[in-house]
Structure formats: C-alpha cells, structure tokens
C-alpha cells in the first residue's frame, strides 16, 4: 500500500510540472498572432477537460455517498433492527452506478482512440505532403526552371503578339514554370488580398517549398504578363479592324471595276498591262496565304483546346473514380466496424448480465447466512448441565465371595426339583447385578 501511495504522489508531481510547463508555453504562444488558433484550441480543450472531470466526480460521488451511508448504518445501528430490503436496494443502486461509470469510461476511451487514429492519419498525410514538397523543384526569381522552345511565327504577325509569345516561351509558359494548381492558388489569394507582402506570406504558409522572394518575383512576372497580354489584345483588335476595312475596300473596288476585257483594252492602250497584272497576282497570292495561315492557326488552336478538354475530362473521370472507390471502401469499412462493435457490445452486455446475476445470487446467499448467524449469536443460549449417572449402593459383604451365585442356586434348585424337565431360567440382562461395595469406591 505504501508503494502504491508513493507511485501516486510521483505521478501527481509529474502532472503538476507538466501543467506548469504547458501554461508557460501557451502564454508565450498567445503573444504571437500567428498562434491564435492554437491558443483557442487549447482553451477549448481545457474547458471540455474540466467538464469531463466534473462529470466523473459526480458519478463517483453517486457511488461513494450511498456506500458510506450503508457502512455507517451497519456500524451504529443494531443488526436486529436493520432493514434488509433497504440495504439490498442501496447495494443494487451502487452496482448500477458502477456499471454506468464503467460504460461511460469505455465510450470515452473508444472516442479517444478514434481521435488518435484520426490525428495519426492527418500526421501521415502531412508527412506525405512534406515528402512531396521536398522532392519538388524550387523556383527562383531570375532563372525559371521550365523553358519552352520559341515558337516559329510568320513574318506577318504583329510585334506585340510576337513579344507576348516570346515572353511566355522564355519564362516557362503561362504559369512562369509553376504548376497549374499552385498558379491557381496564387491567383485566388491575389484576388482576395492586394498587398504583395501579405500574398507572399500566405503562399509561403500554404506552400512551404516556395519562398517569399519567389512569390514576389512571380507577382512581378504576372504584372508584365498582363501588360503584354493587354497589348497583344489591342494589336489583334487593331489588326481585325484593318482587315475588315481592307475587305470593304476590296469589295468596293471589285464592284466598281469594269469587265476584264475592257480592263485589258485599257491596259493595252495605256501600256501598263503587265505591271498591274503582276500586282494583282501578288495580292491574290498574299491573300490566299493569309487566309490559309489564319485557318491553320484556328485549326491548331481548336485542336489544342480539344486535347486540353479531353485531358481535363480524363483527369476528372479518374478523380471521380478514385473518390467513388475511396468512398465505397470507407463506407464498407465503417459498416464492418460498426457491425463488429455492435456484436461485441451485445456479447459484453450478455456476459455482464450473467456475471451480475451470479454475483447478486452469491451476495444474497452470503447475506442471508451472515444475518442468520448474527441473529443466532444475539439470541440468549440456555446452559445445559451434564448428566451424572447415579450408582446404586449395596451393603458390603466380603463373605459373599465364598457363597454361590443366584444363577447357580436357581440351577441346582431346578435340578433337584426335576432332573428331566426343562425350567425357564431368567435372562442374564434381567438378573439384578451386584452393587459396587463401599470399600472399593475409593480405589477408582
């Protein structure tokens, strides 16, 4: 018992020191704004812990108070005046309270085990993320990691579009060498917050493998990207307007021009026939090449869009299948676990019921035996005096040793009376025995 008390005191001292260090750590963390969520979680857990402790204390008191009351009544009151039914009722109530406390503690332990498993799963997922983040390439502001080859363009592309395409090819694509998910996260954060330093801090917090300097450089790149893209849009718009005006002028010229024969006559008359025909042929060739180039560009863009859409759909389908399979496996595992738990609970309830019935019967039998013994001990007992056999005293006659016995006298008397006839002799047990002489009483 002394060793047990020493271990309890040791554990209590360790708990006191740990709580002291814990409060100091939380106080230091509460000074930083970044750890506000952790401090809120700590206060929330403290409140739930205090509530649980209060609940456990109340349940233990429900067991201890009636037990002390019965113990006190058994010590003070007379056993004959005790109410056996009341004591039995108190004991059954104590047993039910102990059973409830046990069930509640088991449910709490199971809940804690579930939380432990959930936290372990989260830790494993974070470990996997950290490994993936460590294996990913780092991005720098001056030298992007991914570079695409320069696109060969036609001579008739405007300068703004050419500059935009060269910039995109030199800086690693439309995401500056970042992955599509990381660039989308950057755009999402940038739309919410306008401060560049704050954007860099948030991105670095969410993606630890990307430094704040890389985020700031990516934001500068994105500004130049938007500027060049806007210039490209303006140039394309201007080119389209010029194209439409050229079409209108050419159609007007065709409507106003005379027939081909009259035109040839005028050309032959003027002497400028060959020069004009050459110009018309060159213009037609240029126009045909231009339309073919535009068609080829549109066809390539449509093909690229279709490929991207197909890849996107394929990825979405794969993700859907994975999520569906994961949900099915998770639901199946949960159902199996729930079914096993229900079976175990039913089995435990049956075992507890059988055990409780056996213990109640044993307790009742022992209680009845104990009460009967106590009642017998309390009743007054009658003293039984020992039975002393009385001995008959006879007169002492030493000369009777030489005399014949009574049996011999009866026998000789019968022989004398009738030697041939049978006489009924007395039984030996009926014959009176000689008493113990007085002079021999002192010898024993």
């Amino acid at each position: 018992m002394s060793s047990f008390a020493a271990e309890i005191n040791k554990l209590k001292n360790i708990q006191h020191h740990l709580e002291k260090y814990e409060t100091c750590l939380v106080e230091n963390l509460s000074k930083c704004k970044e750890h506000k969520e952790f401090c809120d979680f700590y206060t929330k857990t403290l409140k739930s812990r205090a509530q649980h402790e209060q609940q456990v204390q109340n349940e233990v008191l429900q067991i201890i108070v009636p037990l002390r009351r019965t113990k006190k009544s058994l010590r003070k009151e007379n056993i004959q005046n005790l109410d056996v039914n009341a004591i039995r009722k108190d004991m059954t109530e104590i047993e039910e309270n102990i059973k409830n406390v046990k069930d509640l503690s088991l449910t709490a332990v199971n809940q804690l085990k579930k939380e432990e498993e959930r936290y372990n799963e989260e830790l494993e997922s974070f470990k996997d993320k950290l490994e993936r983040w460590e294996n990913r390439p780092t991005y720098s502001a001056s030298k992007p990691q991914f570079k695409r080859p320069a696109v060969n363009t036609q001579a008739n592309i405007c300068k703004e579009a050419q500059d935009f395409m060269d910039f995109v090819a030199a800086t690693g694509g439309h995401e500056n060498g970042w992955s599509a998910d990381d660039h989308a996260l950057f755009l999402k954060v940038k739309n919410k917050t306008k401060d560049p330093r704050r954007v860099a801090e948030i991105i670095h917090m969410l993606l630890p493998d990307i430094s704040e300097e890389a985020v700031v450089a990516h934001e500068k790149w994105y500004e130049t990207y938007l500027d060049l893209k806007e210039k490209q849009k303006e140039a394309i718009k201007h080119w389209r307007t010029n194209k439409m005006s050229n079409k209108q002028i050419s159609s007007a010229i065709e409507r106003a021009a005379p027939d081909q024969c009259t035109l040839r006559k005028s050309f032959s008359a003027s002497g400028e026939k060959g020069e004009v025909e050459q110009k018309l042929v060159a213009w037609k060739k240029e126009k045909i090449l231009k339309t073919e180039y535009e068609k080829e560009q549109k066809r390539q863009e449509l093909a690229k869009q279709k490929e991207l859409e197909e890849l996107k759909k394929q990825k979405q389908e794969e993700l859907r299948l994975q999520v569906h399979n994961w949900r099915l496996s998770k639901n199946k595992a949960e159902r199996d676990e729930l079914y096993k738990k229900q079976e175990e609970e039913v089995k435990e309830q049956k075992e507890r019921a059988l055990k409780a019935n056996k213990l109640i019967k044993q307790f009742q039998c022992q209680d009845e035996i104990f009460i009967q013994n106590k009642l017998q001990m309390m009743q007054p007992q009658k003293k039984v005096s020992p039975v002393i056999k009385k001995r008959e005293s006879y007169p002492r006659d030493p000369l009777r040793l030489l005399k014949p016995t009574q049996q011999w006298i009866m026998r000789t008397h019968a022989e004398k009376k009738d030697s041939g006839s049978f006489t009924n002799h007395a039984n030996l047990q009926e014959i009176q025995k000689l008493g113990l002489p007085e002079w021999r009483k002192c010898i024993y």
Side-chain angles (χ1 to χ4, degrees):
M1 189 67 185
S2 60
S3 62
F4 178 73
E7 291 293 330
I8 291 292
N9 291 325
K10 191 186 291 183
L11 289 172
K12 193 172 181 181
N13 292 327
I14 292 168
Q15 182 183 1
H16 179 69
H17 286 297
L18 288 173
E19 288 177 353
K20 187 177 179 181
Y21 295 147
E22 186 181 7
T23 51
C24 292
L25 177 63
V26 172
E27 286 178 359
N28 293 325
L29 288 174
S30 62
K31 294 177 182 178
C32 299
K33 293 181 180 179
E34 296 178 355
H35 304 290
K36 187 178 180 182
E37 294 180 358
F38 177 77
C39 296
D40 294 337
F41 177 73
Y42 176 73
T43 53
K44 187 177 179 182
T45 51
L46 276 180
K47 287 180 182 179
S48 63
R49 180 184 172 189
Q51 290 176 359
H52 183 68
E53 285 181 355
Q54 187 66 32
Q55 186 180 1
V56 171
Q57 286 180 0
N58 294 330
E59 290 169 355
V60 172
L61 286 173
Q62 289 179 0
I63 297 169
I64 292 172
V65 170
L67 190 63
R68 288 178 178 174
R69 187 172 61 246
T70 52
K71 186 177 179 181
K72 190 175 180 181
S73 62
L74 287 171
R75 282 183 179 179
K76 288 185 177 181
E77 296 180 3
N78 192 1
I79 296 174
Q80 291 181 353
N81 298 326
L82 285 174
D83 190 0
V84 179
N85 294 322
I87 294 170
R88 189 176 295 169
K89 186 178 179 181
D90 291 337
M91 296 304 291
T92 53
E93 184 179 357
I94 291 166
E95 185 181 0
E96 288 177 358
N97 291 330
I98 291 169
K99 187 179 177 181
N100 293 328
V101 170
K102 188 177 179 182
D103 293 336
L104 289 172
S105 61
L106 286 172
T107 53
V109 168
N110 291 327
Q111 188 176 0
L112 289 172
K113 285 181 179 178
K114 287 181 180 179
E115 290 181 357
E116 184 182 2
E117 291 176 357
R118 183 168 60 82
Y119 287 136
N120 287 328
E121 289 177 358
E122 289 181 358
L123 286 172
E124 290 295 330
S125 65
F126 279 120
K127 284 181 182 178
D128 295 336
K129 286 182 180 180
L130 287 172
E131 288 177 358
R132 280 190 274 117
W133 289 341
E134 287 175 357
N135 294 326
R136 286 175 61 182
T138 57
Y139 305 110
S140 62
S142 60
K143 296 180 181 180
Q145 296 293 324
F146 300 99
K147 289 186 178 181
R148 296 179 183 176
V151 181
N152 294 323
T153 59
Q154 298 291 334
N156 57 355
I157 296 175
C158 60
K159 183 178 180 299
E160 289 81 0
Q162 185 68 38
D163 292 339
F164 177 73
M165 293 170 70
D166 292 339
F167 176 75
V168 170
T171 55
H174 292 275
E175 290 87 11
N176 192 20
W178 288 27
S179 65
D181 295 334
D182 295 346
H183 185 67
L185 181 64
F186 167 75
L187 294 177
K188 187 177 180 181
V189 175
K190 183 175 173 59
N191 291 328
K192 288 183 180 180
T193 57
K194 302 297 181 182
D195 188 9
R197 302 303 303 175
R198 183 60 182 165
V199 172
E201 289 177 0
I202 293 170
I203 295 295
H204 180 63
M205 190 184 297
L206 296 173
L207 303 172
D209 57 332
I210 300 174
S211 62
E212 294 182 6
E213 291 80 8
V215 178
V216 172
H218 187 71
E219 189 165 4
K220 290 179 181 178
W221 170 88
Y222 187 66
E223 288 176 359
T224 54
Y225 173 82
L226 291 177
D227 190 13
L228 292 173
K229 193 174 183 181
E230 191 66 29
K231 288 180 181 179
Q232 184 198 20
K233 285 181 181 179
E234 291 292 332
I236 291 169
K237 189 176 179 182
H238 184 64
W239 175 78
R240 283 177 181 172
T241 55
N242 291 332
K243 184 180 176 182
M244 292 299 292
S245 63
N246 290 328
K247 281 184 180 180
Q248 290 175 2
I249 291 166
S250 63
S251 61
I253 290 167
E254 287 177 359
R255 286 195 302 269
D259 295 335
Q260 192 174 6
C261 58
T262 58
L263 189 61
R264 285 178 181 177
K265 287 178 182 178
S266 61
F267 285 156
S268 62
S270 61
E272 296 178 355
K273 179 181 175 180
E275 187 178 354
V276 174
E277 284 182 354
Q278 289 177 1
K279 287 181 179 180
L280 286 171
V281 170
W283 177 77
K284 284 180 181 179
K285 286 182 179 179
E286 185 180 356
K287 189 176 180 181
I288 290 166
L289 290 171
K290 196 173 183 180
T291 53
E292 287 178 356
Y293 175 72
E294 288 176 357
K295 287 179 182 179
E296 186 66 23
Q297 288 288 337
K298 287 181 180 179
R299 189 179 63 78
Q300 288 179 1
E301 287 178 359
L302 290 171
K304 285 181 181 179
Q305 287 180 359
K306 285 181 180 178
E307 288 179 0
L308 290 172
E309 287 177 357
E310 287 178 358
L311 288 171
K312 193 174 181 181
K313 286 180 181 179
Q314 190 176 0
K315 286 182 180 179
Q316 287 178 355
E317 288 295 329
E318 289 177 358
L319 287 171
R320 284 175 186 171
L321 286 172
Q322 288 178 2
V323 171
H324 183 67
N325 294 328
W326 175 75
R327 283 179 180 172
L328 288 175
S329 61
K330 186 179 179 183
N331 292 329
K332 186 178 179 182
E334 288 179 354
R335 285 196 299 270
D336 294 338
E337 188 177 357
L338 183 64
Y339 182 69
K340 286 181 182 178
K341 285 183 179 179
Q342 288 177 355
E343 287 184 347
E344 289 177 358
E345 287 178 357
V346 170
K347 193 183 287 183
E348 286 179 359
Q349 286 178 0
K350 288 181 180 179
E351 290 177 356
R352 286 199 298 268
L354 290 171
K355 193 174 181 180
N357 291 329
K358 288 181 181 179
L359 291 172
I360 288 167
K361 287 180 181 178
Q362 290 178 2
F363 174 75
Q364 289 176 354
C365 293
Q366 291 177 1
D367 192 13
E368 292 291 339
I369 293 167
F370 178 75
I371 291 168
Q372 288 177 4
N373 291 331
K374 285 289 183 182
L375 291 173
Q376 288 179 2
M377 289 172 67
M378 295 298 294
Q379 290 177 359
Q381 296 180 357
K382 295 179 180 180
K383 293 183 179 180
V384 181
S385 58
V387 178
I388 300 171
K389 292 183 180 181
K390 293 182 179 180
R391 293 183 179 180
E392 295 180 358
S393 60
Y394 293 93
R396 299 169 72 182
D397 188 7
L399 296 175
R400 65 186 177 83
L401 293 171
L402 301 174
K403 291 180 181 179
T405 59
Q406 190 70 25
Q407 185 71 19
W408 180 260
I409 291 169
M410 290 175 67
R411 184 176 179 182
T412 54
H413 181 69
E415 287 178 355
K416 286 180 182 179
K417 189 176 180 181
D418 189 8
S419 59
S421 63
F422 178 74
T423 58
N424 291 325
H425 298 288
N427 194 1
L428 290 173
Q429 294 179 358
E430 293 177 359
I431 297 170
Q432 190 176 5
K433 303 296 189 293
L434 295 174
L436 191 67
E438 293 292 334
W439 59 274
R440 290 183 64 186
K441 287 181 181 180
C442 61
I443 295 172
Y444 295 105

